[in-house]
Amino acid sequence: TPFGKAATDAFGDLDALDSELHAYVRRAKFQQIVLPFKSLDPGPVTIRELTPAESALIAYDRSMSVGVPQKEVAAFADRLRAAAAVYPDDPYALGLVAEAQRLAGRQAEAIAAADRWLKVAPNDGMALATKAMAQMDALVAEKSTDTAQWNAVRALLVTANKRSPDNPRILDAYYDSFSRQRVLPPMGAQKVLYHALELLPQDRDLRHKVAADFEARDM
């Protein structure tokens, strides 16, 4: 239903509604409701020391979380790779290197870092998913329409999800494997994306993506 008609159907004369709203906000007193909240037990909080690699590289991790300006990405990726070289077999370091190389648009380097990550952590679903995402970047750069190649990327993401279930980044990447192929994701992929939002409801990008998907289907 068009927004204007939906509003009129629900509220009647919109000019009258506008007058009522203005009259309401000019009132000196408002009704209020006190909502009691249950006391929540967050459970035990575990604290541990950072590993040497984490301690040395966490500033780079934070920078990527906040966002690196596009014009600085290549230099940032080079600095991170040099700093991470001290920890050649550390999964955390290799994961950061792979992600930074992806940001810099260096798909081959990102895949190579992900492969090294998989050697030291073969059961880490995020390592496999990072490799799949780098391969996806390459397919987008090539403007590939090869369905077999896109399906191969999705197969990696399915395996990654089995290794690390309920990781919202992996679920999001699976959905993206359709949208970045420029095809409407099937309903199963929509459910996967929605589940990612359930797991990470504070993520605005996921929320916008879910809303856009529903809108694309006239839902």
Side-chain angles (χ1 to χ4, degrees), residues 149-177:
Q149 288 183 313
W150 284 100
N151 286 340
V153 167
R154 280 190 276 275
L156 289 181
L157 291 168
V158 169
T159 302
N161 182 59
K162 291 177 180 177
R163 294 181 184 178
S164 299
D166 287 341
N167 183 314
R169 284 199 65 195
I170 297 174
L171 301 176
D172 183 34
Y174 179 80
Y175 177 88
D176 283 347
S177 70

Side-chain angles (χ1 to χ4, degrees), residues 112-127:
D115 281 335
R116 294 196 298 274
W117 185 5
L118 283 166
K119 283 186 178 180
V120 297
N123 294 320
D124 190 330
M126 199 59 225

